[in-house]
Amino acid sequence: MQKSAMHWMFEPLRKYAVFGGRARRAEYWWFSLLVVLISIVAAFFDTMVTAPLGAPEPSDANPFGNAGLGVVSVLVSLAFLLPGLGASVRRLHDVDKSGWWVLIAFIPLIGGLILLFWFCTRGTQGPNKYGDDPLQSPQFFT
C-alpha cells in the first residue's frame, strides 16, 4: 500500500532532529508544502492580530509594515528549523551528497539553485554510503 501525502508531510516531524539516512523527494517536498502553508497562516494571523494593536503600517520607509515580524511567525519558523534542516540533509544523502552541502545555500542565488536541482533529482538507485534506497525499502510499502 502506498503512503499518503499526509504521511510524507509529517514524516520529518516524526524524525525531528534526525540527520542520518535518506529522504525521498516526496518526504522533502510534501513537508516543504506543509511549512509554506503553515507559515502563510501564521503570517496572516500575525497581521490580523498585530495590525489592530498599533503595529507599523506600510510606508515609504517601511514598505512591508510588520510582514514577517510577528511572534507566531517567528515561533513557527523556530519549530520547523530542525525538522527542515534534517529533511534537507537526508534529501542530500539520497543523492549521495554530504549533508554539509546544505551550507551552499549561503551563496546568493547560485547556492539555492544548486540545492533546488539536487532536491529535485531522483536519489541514488540502490544503497549508498548513507543507507538503503528509500524507494526499494520494505518500509515504503507498510
Side-chain angles (χ1 to χ4, degrees):
M1 185 171 113
Q2 193 171 7
K3 294 185 178 179
S4 69
M6 291 298 284
H7 168 81
W8 295 119
M9 282 183 174
F10 293 103
E11 185 67 13
L13 293 175
R14 288 186 202 101
K15 299 176 181 176
Y16 191 82
V18 175
F19 297 98
R22 295 169 63 174
R24 300 181 45 186
R25 286 180 290 187
E27 178 181 340
Y28 179 80
W29 288 111
W30 281 111
F31 177 69
S32 296
L33 177 64
L34 175 71
V35 170
V36 167
L37 293 176
I38 291 176
S39 296
I40 289 170
V41 170
F44 180 76
F45 181 79
D46 283 334
T47 302
M48 298 308 290
V49 170
T50 58
L53 299 176
E57 293 293 323
S59 66
D60 289 339
N62 185 9
F64 299 107
N66 66 341
L69 300 176
V71 174
V72 176
S73 296
V74 170
L75 291 175
V76 165
S77 297
L78 288 174
F80 286 124
L81 180 66
L82 283 178
L85 187 59
S88 297
V89 167
R90 290 191 310 275
R91 183 73 205 116
L92 287 170
H93 287 173
D94 195 37
V95 294
D96 209 15
K97 303 281 184 221
S98 168
W100 289 104
W101 277 106
V102 78
L103 297 176
I104 201 171
F106 289 114
I107 300 173
L109 187 61
I110 301 297
L113 289 175
I114 292 170
L115 281 177
L116 178 64
F117 174 77
W118 285 336
F119 291 158
C120 292
T121 303
R122 187 193 189 289
T124 308
Q125 291 186 1
N128 67 16
K129 62 184 172 186
Y130 300 105
D132 292 331
D133 187 349
L135 288 177
Q136 297 175 350
S137 166
Q139 299 137 347
F140 175 67
F141 296 103
T142 60

